[in-house]
Amino acid sequence: MSEGAVKKEEKPRKFQAIRGTRDLLPPETALWNHVEQTAHAVFGTFGFGEIRSPIFEWTELFARSIGSNTDVVSKEMYVLGLQHDNPTGLDLAHRRETLMFMSVPSSDKSGIDIFTMQTRKFCSDYDAALGKELVYADVGTKVALKYLKDSISYLVDDLLEQTRAGDWQERFDRTVALCKQYLDLVEPTIALRPESTASVCRAYIEHGMQQLPQPVKLYYMGPMFRRERPQKGRYRQFYQIGAEVLGGGDAPAIDAEVIEMVMTFFDRLELQGVQLDINSIGDGNCRPKYVELLRAELLKVKDKLGPDSQRRIETNPLRVLDSKVKEEQSIIEKLPRIADHLCEECAAHYAAVKHQLEMRGVIYRENWRLVRGLDYYMRTTFEITAQGLGSQNAVCGGGRYDGLVELLGGPPTKGIGFAIGEDRLILSLQESGKAPAQQGRDVYIAWMGERAHATAIRAAKDLRKAGFSVELPPVEQKFGKALGQADKLGAKYALILGDNEVSEGLWTLKTLADGTQKKLSEPELIKELRKTR
Ligand code: ATP
Ligand code: MG
């Protein structure tokens, strides 16, 4: 038995696509192409250029930008280590990851114990693995490891002894953040991108795009990865089409034009039941005060809220507004609204964005409960829903993120963008029957005989050059079978080439819908086909 052959008793495993991923197949892929071509066309008319960034980046890029307390980063990211080729390396990488994304509030005594003990254990195990050359370490790693040990010692031996000092909490938070930074340097990991805004900002900085005429307008399309619970409209590999405007100020007209562009795109695709919701979530000046007010109000009604919302009062009170829990709705309706607590600048900006939308004929609905899941948003936020999607009905989310480029080490830069969920967009188009029908073949060449085969090959070449889709059977078929096959493939015409046709120089073109036939010379054929296009 040859090496590659499968032993008889072993049934070969049948592989299936991994849960949450799927194959996109014809004819559906034609619709995907149509959607993407429309995006290229529409975004081009708004002066946007395409960026194609890598599918993986340093984990830290996403942790920094999206925020390590968000679900996307703490639970849903596909993180890949650099030295996962042995069990020790793998285990250390996992433990490091857990520590890096562990939330360590200063009030949680046992949480602090777990964090410090596990970090110390991690350091000594890492040292041991280094000794056995099970993991790799460059100079940076070694230095980071040393600083990590020092920081943990400082935390345990000094800081935890002086919890009464006035600035204790501040110093504690700073030290924990520092530990996490060192942990990250011990072995930088990479992650499959859960979204693309961070990559676009990274590229803007890396290529010095602030030197270009501002604003820089970029769009992208491609797969994103999130380890979520798969369901209709929610996948682990999904596709986004998005755009970003970077630099050049924060004029409300920029916000409005970006929104106008998405709406134009959806309009061009004839997407049905499109509903645009907008909101302003303030900025670093007014939002924190509102969040505190919201937290205080939420604490008063804490007992009436479900466990998710109760938890969010601490971690992210804004997300409570997102709640879909029925019993919470009447409570949420009575909470203070951010629109009443915006600072003067944010309020003026919001009013101007609305005015600009009206000037562009864009219909919107104000939704004070619209907050975005990612940390970096500020001021204008928007979401677009469409019909036929059940509870996963958001097809586009977007907003302004003025601090993001700076957060990633670039110059202060204004930014706004959106991301469309292409999978959901396609689902909605299909549900509403707006998906254009797949183009069948134009011509099926039914040939018989050696001479006819040569002519058929030449005819196929000429027809394809003229842009027609041609099916040329690789082996001779009886005409009856060929016509049946042509029918199944949905061909419009059968071109019949037998001995007679070839010697006469007159080819038979049969219209399959009505069975009519025409005799045509070679030059007449293409003219005839063009007429009926
Ligand atoms: P949702 O609230 O539906 O989880 P989100 O706030 O996580 O969305 P964003 O990160 O803003 O979504 O991404 C923009 C768009 O990408 C969403 O409006 C949605 O259409 C799409 N999207 C997000 N996650 C997925 C997924 N797992 N599968 C398919 N599409 C997704
Ligand atoms: Mg989500």
Side-chain angles (χ1 to χ4, degrees):
M1 193 193 273
S2 76
E3 234 181 90
V6 181
K7 281 195 216 117
K8 260 221 177 92
E9 58 274 21
E10 277 177 27
K11 235 184 165 184
R13 172 177 170 194
K14 276 202 198 130
F15 289 97
Q16 286 184 330
I18 290 171
R19 206 166 113 79
T21 73
R22 62 203 178 123
D23 301 305
L24 304 171
L25 304 171
E28 196 183 306
T29 37
L31 177 56
W32 284 76
N33 282 321
H34 168 66
V35 164
E36 288 165 17
Q37 290 310 327
T38 308
H40 289 299
V42 172
F43 296 174
T45 63
F46 281 79
F48 283 66
E50 186 184 6
I51 175 171
R52 300 191 188 194
S53 67
I55 265 170
F56 50 87
E57 302 260 7
W58 297 116
T59 308
E60 192 187 350
L61 175 72
F62 302 118
R64 281 255 167 110
S65 58
I66 301 171
S68 30
N69 280 330
T70 57
D71 284 355
V72 169
V73 167
S74 63
K75 293 193 211 133
E76 298 170 1
M77 220 156 41
Y78 284 97
V79 177
L80 317 173
L82 296 180
Q83 36 189 260
H84 285 188
D85 52 353
N86 66 69
T88 308
L90 191 67
D91 172 56
L92 285 169
H94 279 317
R95 280 160 58 190
R96 195 190 64 104
E97 222 66 58
T98 312
L99 291 167
M100 264 176 68
F101 298 125
M102 192 180 279
S103 149
V104 194
S106 54
S107 55
D108 178 6
K109 182 80 183 63
S110 62
I112 297 173
D113 284 348
I114 292 171
F115 179 75
T116 52
M117 265 157 49
Q118 289 191 356
T119 305
R120 280 196 155 153
K121 178 101 177 57
F122 170 84
C123 290
S124 59
D125 289 354
Y126 206 99
D127 274 337
L130 271 178
K132 292 186 207 146
E133 295 189 346
L134 284 169
V135 290
Y136 160 85
D138 57 13
V139 180
T141 302
K142 287 182 182 148
V143 172
L145 212 54
K146 180 181 177 310
Y147 285 169
L148 178 58
K149 286 184 219 158
D150 291 351
S151 306
I152 286 289
S153 294
Y154 171 67
L155 218 169
V156 176
D157 302 335
D158 299 327
L159 257 187
L160 291 180
E161 301 297 315
Q162 340 162 355
T163 50
R164 274 175 227 279
D167 61 346
W168 181 79
Q169 191 159 333
E170 216 173 276
R171 283 197 288 163
F172 174 86
D173 287 342
R174 227 184 308 125
T175 311
V176 169
L178 212 56
C179 288
K180 290 183 174 180
Q181 273 181 31
Y182 293 139
L183 272 165
D184 198 31
L185 291 172
V186 170
E187 185 211 27
T189 56
I190 57 181
L192 299 185
R193 61 181 186 194
E195 55 104 55
S196 268
T197 302
S199 303
V200 175
C201 291
R202 195 245 329 117
Y204 179 87
I205 300 165
E206 183 170 342
H207 303 288
M209 290 191 217
Q210 68 270 21
Q211 310 299 339
L212 301 174
Q214 304 291 304
V216 172
K217 303 196 272 187
L218 298 167
Y219 73 93
Y220 60 83
M221 50 184 79
M224 308 294 157
F225 306 85
R226 293 183 197 176
R227 200 193 296 263
E228 304 194 71
R229 193 168 73 76
Q231 53 195 291
K232 183 187 172 193
R234 198 179 286 292
Y235 311 98
R236 291 181 165 185
Q237 173 171 342
F238 63 102
Y239 296 79
Q240 284 187 338
I241 299 176
E244 318 288 351
V245 180
L246 290 163
D250 60 359
I254 295 181
D255 306 43
E257 194 181 65
V258 165
I259 295 172
E260 181 190 4
M261 182 167 89
V262 201
M263 297 300 271
T264 306
F265 172 54
F266 286 163
D267 195 45
R268 196 71 55 86
L269 290 172
E270 296 184 55
L271 184 68
Q272 301 296 297
V274 176
Q275 165 76 56
L276 163 68
D277 279 17
I278 62 166
N279 192 18
S280 173
I281 54 171
D283 61 8
N285 183 17
C286 52
R287 187 173 40 197
K289 287 178 216 153
Y290 169 71
V291 170
E292 276 325 305
L293 176 70
L294 189 61
R295 181 175 277 137
E297 290 302 313
L298 282 168
L299 282 172
K300 289 185 199 161
V301 293
K302 185 169 179 178
D303 300 340
K304 298 192 194 118
L305 298 171
D308 277 345
S309 292
Q310 288 200 355
R311 193 163 32 79
R312 287 184 173 141
I313 297 180
E314 278 311 315
T315 56
N316 195 349
L318 280 177
R319 290 298 305 278
V320 178
L321 304 180
D322 239 1
S323 159
K324 309 256 160 22
V325 179
K326 232 181 170 176
E327 297 72 38
E328 297 180 350
Q329 301 309 309
S330 59
I331 303 167
I332 293 173
E333 278 306 310
K334 289 185 210 107
L335 291 169
R337 305 184 170 204
I338 183 135
D340 303 326
H341 300 273
L342 293 176
C343 60
E344 223 169 280
E345 290 80 11
C346 285
H349 192 268
Y350 187 38
V353 169
K354 287 185 280 185
H355 177 61
Q356 280 286 334
L357 285 173
E358 281 147 26
M359 283 168 70
R360 285 153 213 266
V362 176
I363 296 166
Y364 61 84
R365 179 174 74 179
E366 284 186 77
N367 178 356
W368 72 276
R369 287 175 57 177
L370 178 68
V371 294
R372 309 277 328 134
L374 315 181
D375 266 1
Y376 51 59
Y377 284 110
M378 59 176 289
R379 286 198 175 168
T380 310
T381 53
F382 56 99
E383 184 168 270
I384 302 169
T385 51
Q387 76 178 34
L389 294 171
S391 54
Q392 259 61 256
N393 65 348
V395 286
C396 174
R400 183 164 275 291
Y401 49 81
D402 291 345
L404 185 54
V405 171
E406 208 175 344
L407 186 74
L408 296 174
T413 307
K414 306 287 183 192
I416 181 166
F418 62 80
I420 295 166
E422 192 177 0
D423 308 69
R424 294 186 195 173
L425 172 57
I426 301 254
L427 264 172
S428 177
L429 290 171
Q430 288 168 329
E431 296 278 321
S432 57
K434 284 293 170 194
Q438 157 88 337
Q439 284 281 308
R441 313 286 192 288
D442 294 311
V443 182
Y444 189 98
I445 305 186
W447 60 271
M448 271 189 84
E450 254 338 279
R451 274 178 67 208
H453 194 188
T455 308
I457 290 171
R458 199 181 70 234
K461 201 185 277 280
D462 289 346
L463 287 172
R464 286 171 177 153
K465 195 169 168 190
F468 296 101
S469 151
V470 178
E471 194 64 34
L472 176 66
V475 294
E476 190 175 83
Q477 294 167 322
K478 297 250 161 54
F479 285 128
K481 184 171 175 212
L483 292 178
Q485 190 77 0
D487 224 27
K488 275 190 212 150
L489 290 174
K492 276 191 227 136
Y493 301 99
L495 178 62
I496 297 169
L497 294 175
D499 286 345
N500 285 345
E501 277 82 1
V502 175
S503 45
E504 278 174 27
L506 278 181
W507 300 353
T508 305
L509 184 70
K510 184 179 173 94
T511 306
L512 289 161
D514 59 11
T516 55
Q517 294 194 174
K518 264 188 190 165
K519 289 258 181 197
L520 300 163
S521 71
E522 196 172 338
E524 283 168 345
L525 175 70
I526 291 191
K527 269 194 226 143
E528 175 71 22
L529 288 172
R530 284 215 170 112
K531 262 200 278 178
T532 58
R533 233 189 189 168

